[in-house]
Amino acid sequence: MNKKALKKGQLALTKTLYSLRMGAGLKQTDLADILDVPQSFVSKIETGERGLDLVELKIVVEAMGATLSEFVAEFEKNVNESK
């Protein structure tokens, strides 16, 4: 697997999650409350310390008021900007 592409994708993923949360006007604690998880969970996914499977990603994204399709479109934009 191309490690450079993987790193670029991971950075785009965390950037997109952070941007979506900020755009929704949510603090990490707000999102954690919505998801019923500790604030550290939100911090870890935004820093890339913890990954998400597709089902978890859908739940997190929808908790911020977006669809998975909208998230993927923004993610693709972020990946392409980092080329």
Side-chain angles (χ1 to χ4, degrees), residues 6-73:
L6 181 61
K7 180 68 174 173
K8 185 167 70 168
Q10 289 171 333
L11 289 172
L13 179 67
T14 57
K15 176 183 178 182
T16 308
L17 284 167
Y18 173 81
S19 295
L20 182 60
R21 180 176 60 77
M22 296 304 289
L26 298 171
K27 296 181 215 168
Q28 285 186 350
T29 53
D30 298 329
L31 180 56
D33 288 344
I34 293 167
L35 295 169
D36 195 26
V37 297
Q39 173 273 329
S40 61
F41 173 86
V42 177
S43 176
K44 287 176 181 179
I45 63 172
E46 287 185 358
T47 61
E49 185 178 336
R50 188 203 190 279
L52 297 172
D53 66 25
L54 188 58
V55 175
E56 291 172 322
L57 180 62
K58 182 177 182 349
I59 291 167
V60 170
V61 167
E62 289 178 351
M64 293 187 278
T67 67
L68 194 53
S69 297
E70 292 167 337
F71 178 83
V72 170

